[in-house]
Amino acid sequence: MTEGSTAQERPARDRQAASEEKRRLILDAAVRVFARGGYHTSRVSDIAEEAGIAHGLLYHYFSSKEEVLATVFRENWGELLGRLADVESSDEPADEQLRGMAKILLRSWRNDPDLVRVMVREVARSSHLNDQIEEIGAAFSTIQRVVERGQAEGVFRSDLDPRLASWIFYGGLEEILTGWVLGQLPDGDEEVARAERTIIDVVCGGLTVRSDNNA
């Protein structure tokens, strides 16, 4: 590559980086707006104002408020799936992998409560949820594979349905997050740590092969 071509490509890269930065600014602003006032009562102009951009500029990046919400879900859910996949591919035993997955999900509340509010209140109850069924199912499949591996290794009971176990595990985590979003459960640092311990003790306690259990 010649020096001239490199110089010519640099402005294009700079424009692409600036465009991506603006796009991220809009998505972050949308999360704050949706978390604060709810998706259905929020307007595109509210998002633009929160992002500090002109109303019309938002449509350069997204065609509608619905597309903004769908993008928030798709990108953040994709990141979550990647983190769960990293746990699954680790050398940790199956019960520790479930513990790691529980920590990722529950600590998301402390790391980004506005995003969790949007994912729980708006996405999980959205009429557009059917469009994301395959992506949502990927999380359950990851958890199910961990349970199945634990069963194959003799860590988890072989008489339990791994698919049902994965739904119970994820369902318990989602309900705890919902309790925090709705203000029905205390959500301080100690409570988050207690939730991690409780979900693992309840779920893994039921899954784990015990010395007095010949299943």
Side-chain angles (χ1 to χ4, degrees), residues 88-104:
E88 182 189 7
S89 63
S90 71
D91 295 330
E92 296 287 339
D95 54 344
E96 286 300 318
Q97 288 188 349
L98 289 186
R99 186 183 302 276
M101 292 178 178
K103 288 180 179 179
I104 288 172

Side-chain angles (χ1 to χ4, degrees), residues 105-113 116-117 177 180-181 187:
L105 284 159
L106 294 180
R107 292 182 184 182
S108 65
W109 174 250
R110 305 301 294 168
N111 296 333
D112 197 342
V116 174
R117 287 188 180 96
L177 289 171
W180 289 336
V181 167
D187 62 348

